[in-house]
Amino acid sequence: MNAIDSDTIDSGRQPPVPWRLSGALADLERAGESEFVRDLIDAFLQDTAARLESMRKAAAATDFEALATSSHALRGSTLLVNADRLAELCCEIQRHAAGRKHRDYLAMVDQLDLVLRETREAMTSHAAALSRNAVR
């Protein structure tokens, strides 16, 4: 178990869901902008995969500055699409990297990758449902 998991267990909190549709995106869907929401989800997932790879390289090199910068940028994106668990993990990585604290950043990035997979599943499922509804 890594530090992120034990923090969640120790505090008695349940981790936030990987992703839920924000009110703003739901409003766009109701306004007939489902295609825009699907495109936004696709762009987020593509961008996040690239950012995650940058974070993995920074973690392997113990490049605190690059890791803090990448985590900060990814956190901003996750907040825009309401991916709370990803945002929480990015914040944790950013906080430790900015403080130049030695942690197992590769394990933290692996945890981020795992939550990204869960988030991707939730987002693609939602996008597929939008596509099915658009055909009707």
Side-chain angles (χ1 to χ4, degrees):
M1 183 178 323
N2 66 36
I4 295 170
D5 291 337
S6 63
D7 288 347
T8 301
I9 291 169
D10 291 345
S11 69
R13 295 179 299 134
Q14 292 295 317
V17 295
W19 180 74
R20 60 185 157 57
L21 189 66
S22 70
L25 293 178
D27 289 346
L28 284 168
E29 286 180 8
R30 283 189 292 275
E33 296 294 333
S34 295
E35 186 174 340
F36 174 78
V37 173
R38 281 192 313 268
D39 290 346
L40 181 68
I41 288 170
D42 288 343
F44 170 78
L45 291 174
Q46 288 176 5
D47 181 64
T48 302
R51 288 185 192 273
L52 190 67
E53 186 56 34
S54 294
M55 289 177 67
R56 191 174 307 285
K57 288 177 183 174
T62 317
D63 184 341
F64 294 118
E65 186 175 330
L67 195 53
T69 299
S70 294
S71 298
H72 177 77
L74 181 54
R75 181 173 180 252
S77 298
T78 62
L79 290 171
L80 287 173
V81 298
N82 218 30
D84 295 340
R85 182 71 174 135
L86 284 172
E88 182 181 281
L89 293 170
C90 287
C91 182
E92 181 90 9
I93 293 169
Q94 180 188 356
R95 183 171 51 88
H96 289 302
R100 303 186 70 76
K101 296 179 182 175
H102 288 279
R103 298 287 188 266
D104 187 349
Y105 289 107
L106 284 173
M108 294 172 89
V109 172
D110 286 343
Q111 179 71 22
L112 194 62
D113 191 25
L114 176 65
V115 174
L116 175 59
R117 286 184 216 156
E118 295 168 354
T119 302
R120 179 181 293 114
E121 185 176 310
M123 288 180 148
T124 54
S125 176
H126 182 78
L130 288 176
S131 295
R132 283 191 303 274
N133 290 338
V135 173
R136 292 180 187 174

